[in-house]
Amino acid sequence: MTFHILTIFPEFFSGPFEHGVIRKAQAEGRLEIRVHDLRHWTYDRHRTVDDRPFGGGEGMLLKPEPLFEAVEAILPKRTPKQKVILLSAQGRRFTQALAREFSMMNDLLLICGRYEGVDERVAEHLADAEVSIGDFVLSGGELAAAAIVDSVARLLPGVLGNEHSTRNESFCEENEGLLDCPQYTRPAEYRGWAVPDVLLGGNHEEIKRWRRAASLAKTERLRPDLMESRELRKN
Ligand code: 9D3
């Protein structure tokens, strides 16, 4: 799979993908990450990518022409397995389900928004979807792009050493939509805080029951919204 990132800050991406499983997967040819400088598709002396909003208002917007030209040059004749995603604070929320959908593509082109936003014609007529990574304000789409590449890349065949380890974790269907259970490693007591006894014994049935109960309790406490949607799914 090839990830394309379209940005006015290409240098931002020297770093995030040079560690761990993503770096290894690139070296093995399982995925490719191409970073494209939006200013490449500007033709004026100042390489202008932004302009003022019609009707007035704060700040500047990314103008449409460089974005349309860039996307059309990077993915000429788009196929159904090539998706263009506009990253913006107004987008549909990115989830693990969307990560799985993206992982089935041949090419994923992520457009990083900047300034106060992007000319709406990009969302309407260029991108296949407009996506946000959560209800908080970033200063641009670059960190969102890095997060999405990471989450999609680890779902690709062979990227994680253990093929099974993507299936039994938080937010995965196989985990009943619950958070991971609490986990502990040595020492068995640290600063007076003891690891639950059940985990130190070898009773695997009992451990299984404890883990499920602990998952439920933790989800109830930290993510009541996940409990809600579980109830709805059961009805
Ligand atoms: C505070 C400014 N906002 C009201 C005028 C609008 C706004 C414009 C541009 C808010 C954020 C941004 C830049 N953010 C992104 O490009 C972005 C983003 C985000 O802010 N949160 C979560 N996901 C994403 S993906 C891209």
Side-chain angles (χ1 to χ4, degrees):
M1 170 165 187
T2 302
F3 296 88
H4 304 269
I5 299 173
L6 186 55
T7 174
I8 60 167
F9 295 125
E11 331 77 57
F12 181 96
F13 296 95
S14 54
F17 307 127
E18 287 166 17
H19 308 276
V21 293
I22 307 297
R23 178 202 179 107
K24 183 156 173 282
Q26 286 179 92
E28 292 168 346
R30 299 184 196 280
L31 62 95
E32 195 175 336
I33 301 170
R34 296 193 199 147
V35 180
H36 308 269
D37 186 347
L38 182 62
R39 289 191 203 278
H40 181 74
W41 290 275
T42 58
Y43 308 102
D44 64 308
R45 255 170 33 88
H46 296 107
R47 318 226 89 177
T48 309
V49 293
D50 61 332
D51 207 341
R52 293 153 60 199
F54 278 122
E58 290 283 291
M60 304 289 272
L61 304 176
L62 283 181
K63 61 204 259 83
E65 306 95 310
L67 288 166
F68 273 81
E69 287 200 32
V71 169
E72 287 162 2
I74 296 164
L75 298 178
K77 292 192 297 168
R78 220 182 296 169
T79 73
K81 292 247 179 212
Q82 300 181 314
K83 292 285 184 237
V84 175
I85 309 301
L86 173 63
L87 301 174
S88 96
Q90 282 70 47
R92 142 182 195 204
R93 179 78 135 277
F94 185 66
T95 60
Q96 190 65 20
L98 204 47
R100 288 209 177 272
E101 279 187 38
F102 288 170
S103 72
M104 322 248 176
M105 297 298 131
N106 295 136
D107 295 85
L108 199 62
L109 197 170
L110 302 171
I111 301 174
C112 302
R114 269 279 153 182
Y115 307 115
E116 283 308 298
V118 180
D119 185 288
E120 188 66 14
R121 287 167 290 196
V122 172
E124 287 281 304
H125 305 295
L126 185 62
D128 295 299
E130 184 172 4
V131 169
S132 154
I133 61 165
D135 294 338
F136 43 85
V137 180
L138 298 172
S139 37
E142 282 77 10
L143 274 168
I148 289 172
V149 169
D150 188 87
S151 68
V152 173
R154 59 188 291 291
L155 296 175
L156 299 176
V159 169
L160 295 189
N162 177 3
E163 292 286 316
H164 298 288
S165 60
T166 76
R167 301 217 71 83
N168 191 24
E169 63 189 344
S170 291
F171 309 113
C172 184
E173 306 79 8
E174 274 65 28
N175 212 16
E176 291 183 80
L178 296 174
L179 299 180
D180 281 354
C181 66
Q183 300 188 92
Y184 302 86
T185 184
R186 291 185 295 180
E189 187 180 316
Y190 181 63
R191 297 190 176 185
W193 301 304
V195 172
D197 265 333
V198 55
L199 299 178
L200 305 179
N203 188 333
H204 294 288
E205 264 318 304
E206 210 188 340
I207 289 172
K208 236 176 111 179
R209 263 182 287 122
W210 181 88
R211 284 185 166 157
R212 189 175 137 73
S215 274
L216 278 164
K218 187 159 185 171
T219 308
E220 186 73 75
R221 183 161 54 90
L222 298 183
R223 294 293 305 275
D225 58 310
L226 293 179
M227 297 301 285
E228 279 285 310
S229 28
R230 266 179 102 241
E231 289 310 312
L232 291 172
R233 265 191 292 126
K234 284 190 169 163
N235 298 330

